[in-house]
Amino acid sequence: MRKKEYFKEDLFMIIKNGQIADPAAKRLYFSDLRIEDGKILEISPSLTPRTGEEVLDAEGLIVAPGLVDTHVHFRDPGFTYKEDLHTGALSAAKGGFTTVVCMANTSPVVDNAATLNDILTRAENEDIHICQAASVSHSLRGEEMTDMAALKAAGACGFTDDGIPLRNAAFLYRAMEEACALDVPISLHEEDPSFIKNNGINHGAVSEQLGIYGSPAIAEESLVARDCLLALRSNAHVVIQHISSGHSVELVRTFKAMGAKLHAEATPHHFTLTEDAVSKYGTLAKMNPPLRTEDDRLALIRGLADGTIDLIATDHAPHSAEEKARSITAAPSGIIGLETALSLGITELVRPGHLTLLELLEKMTVNPAQLYHLPAGKIAAGEAADLVIFNPDEEWSPEGYASRSSNSPFTGWKLYGKIKMTLCRGKIIYTD
């Protein structure tokens, strides 16, 4: 496999003249990095290149830990016409991500060790770190719990039935208790279908214009309220996935203050767009949970700013052009997000002053790494040379994607923050 062959090589490299952004240490400083055999060997100003050492000039650029995305859909196995492990890895590398956590709603579902082992074995051939979450319930039915201990032993990094809510509170509470005992996060898709008539579009002004009912915010808020309480009682690390409602943010804030080990994900599309985007972009702005109001968007930004929301995750959800060409009610929900996430964070959060660059990177590197117990998110001697090098001030427009799919409303947008290079294990896996 490529990883093993790769580590047989002697790899020596210096990254010179860059500004190091280390969110784990909360430091932004100028220094050089020496990389040897996939690890950071030395951090010091004005390092002198040795014979045979490759030199990368990062003058004017930020050198940061490789990004970590806790919520992606690589559609493999079962839906590889949309994405597979390889194209997903290419998309991640182009977006500066060196570690991703794949969701379990594949076909077959990742509810058994055989399917998990197949994915993880094939993932070893890719240039990024691909982690895999397993499902909480067999076949995503919310009825019979998977053997979470056996799945963790087989390599599952966490548990989720993402895409489908767990409606049975007692069942979920038992799963939280098991996740707590195993010291792994359990991540929840919070949309009660009993409130929803047409998913993917907020119940509001735009849905009324379209003549459909849509998905009201209470569908999310009702489950978030329940699950915040279950998290407090179970003591589990519980992730509220792709949070979209301002009331949901306030619930997480309140229960965190009470001591619940809650974590919340915000996607770039939810902190950037509102339901009005559906009128402009059609099905490219359809996702679960849906884009909501400007008040909700601003509440998410406040939650990001005060730490209530501690994760930024893409919910990278590829679909084919044919699927997205269907009617607004028939098309599947979701957009791709890996290749625009950092730039949207810089454009929508850092440049307006909502977050500092280090605060943005904290939510995209060290926080997700710590939650999932991953060796990522740090720039220090002895750590893996998983790095992203970018120019936060360079303007660019997404026009083509490494993903197999291109279902994004952000195509053609003017964004800031151009990724110049991504390294994983000291190997250059993407260059602009």
Side-chain angles (χ1 to χ4, degrees):
M1 291 182 286
R2 275 187 286 174
K3 276 188 186 177
K4 296 179 181 179
E5 293 171 358
Y6 163 66
F7 278 119
K8 291 177 182 177
E9 302 171 7
D10 292 324
L11 298 170
F12 303 96
M13 180 188 299
I14 286 182
I15 301 174
K16 291 191 66 67
N17 306 317
Q19 187 174 23
I20 310 299
D22 184 358
K26 302 186 186 303
R27 291 183 64 201
L28 194 62
Y29 61 99
F30 290 92
S31 192
D32 299 342
L33 295 179
R34 173 168 275 125
I35 296 169
E36 182 174 318
D37 291 336
K39 293 187 178 294
I40 298 171
L41 182 67
E42 187 178 1
I43 305 174
S44 180
S46 304
L47 289 174
T48 301
R50 300 169 181 168
T51 302
E53 214 165 27
E54 183 179 0
V55 177
L56 300 179
D57 186 0
E59 185 173 2
L61 305 176
I62 298 290
V63 181
L67 306 181
V68 180
D69 192 342
T70 58
H71 191 154
V72 303
H73 299 269
F74 280 180
R75 309 299 194 194
D76 189 347
F79 308 99
T80 52
Y81 67 93
K82 306 177 193 239
E83 195 83 284
D84 59 29
L85 294 182
H86 183 62
T87 60
L90 293 175
S91 184
K94 188 174 181 181
F97 290 90
T98 54
T99 302
V100 299
V101 176
C102 292
M103 298 295 97
N105 58 340
T106 51
S107 182
V109 174
V110 188
D111 59 7
N112 61 86
T115 300
L116 176 63
N117 288 333
D118 168 64
I119 294 169
L120 293 179
T121 298
R122 290 186 292 112
E124 291 180 1
N125 292 318
E126 302 304 329
D127 285 333
I128 67 166
H129 307 284
I130 299 177
C131 307
Q132 180 65 56
S135 65
V136 178
S137 68
H138 281 285
S139 302
L140 305 178
R141 292 176 181 169
E143 298 171 353
E144 180 186 359
M145 197 181 307
T146 57
D147 188 339
M148 294 169 70
L151 285 163
K152 181 190 175 184
C157 64
F159 293 88
T160 180
D161 275 15
D162 178 57
I164 299 176
L166 288 161
R167 301 178 71 176
N168 185 316
F171 173 88
L172 176 55
Y173 186 63
R174 291 193 299 273
M176 285 186 184
E177 290 181 313
E178 181 68 5
C180 180
L182 294 171
D183 191 25
V184 292
I186 183 167
S187 302
L188 305 175
H189 184 115
E190 304 287 52
E191 285 190 295
D192 186 338
S194 63
F195 289 101
I196 300 170
K197 294 184 180 178
N198 310 99
N199 71 6
I201 302 153
N202 184 51
H203 173 62
V206 174
S207 69
E208 289 180 3
Q209 291 169 11
L210 294 171
I212 60 178
Y213 184 84
S215 173
I218 195 173
E220 173 180 290
E221 296 155 0
S222 60
L223 290 187
V224 171
R226 180 199 73 175
D227 295 343
C228 283
L229 180 57
L230 296 181
L232 179 67
R233 291 296 192 181
S234 69
N235 206 36
H237 282 279
V238 174
V239 180
I240 306 300
Q241 295 180 301
H242 38 46
I243 197 165
S244 69
S245 160
H247 290 315
S248 296
V249 176
E250 188 59 40
L251 285 163
V252 172
R253 183 180 287 115
T254 299
F255 277 87
K256 270 191 167 185
M258 294 171 67
K261 295 177 181 176
L262 283 163
H263 310 267
E265 296 173 353
T267 70
H269 44 275
H270 283 110
F271 66 65
T272 300
L273 300 170
T274 69
E275 60 184 347
D276 292 336
V278 177
S279 299
K280 184 173 183 179
Y281 300 106
T283 63
L284 292 180
K286 181 183 180 183
M287 64 272 301
N288 300 336
L291 302 170
R292 301 208 188 271
T293 67
E294 177 67 1
D295 286 345
D296 290 309
R297 188 185 76 86
L298 294 175
L300 263 62
I301 291 174
R302 289 193 296 272
L304 286 161
D306 70 12
T308 299
I309 301 173
D310 51 352
L311 306 170
I312 291 175
T314 66
D315 190 14
H316 177 80
H319 293 293
S320 70
E322 292 77 13
E323 289 170 321
K324 278 295 191 178
R326 297 172 188 165
S327 71
I328 194 70
T329 54
S333 295
I335 67 171
I336 60 171
L338 285 164
E339 297 172 48
T340 52
L342 179 61
S343 296
L344 285 167
I346 291 170
T347 304
E348 299 294 329
L349 300 176
V350 176
R351 290 178 69 87
H354 303 301
L355 297 180
T356 67
L357 181 61
L358 283 176
E359 288 169 339
L360 174 68
L361 290 171
E362 182 180 39
K363 297 174 192 297
M364 300 183 76
T365 61
V366 61
N367 286 357
Q370 289 177 349
L371 176 62
Y372 279 87
H373 310 296
L374 302 173
K378 299 177 182 177
I379 294 184
E383 298 290 342
D386 296 349
L387 304 166
V388 57
I389 302 174
F390 62 94
N391 184 342
D393 299 317
E394 184 175 342
E395 187 179 280
W396 71 288
S397 294
E399 299 292 350
Y401 299 98
S403 171
R404 178 162 288 157
S405 296
S406 58
N407 51 306
S408 171
F410 301 115
T411 302
W413 276 42
K414 299 298 182 185
L415 301 177
Y416 290 92
K418 187 72 172 72
I419 293 168
K420 312 304 286 187
M421 191 173 293
T422 306
L423 294 85
C424 191
R425 306 178 190 91
K427 176 184 177 182
I428 299 170
I429 61 171
Y430 169 77
T431 185
D432 180 34

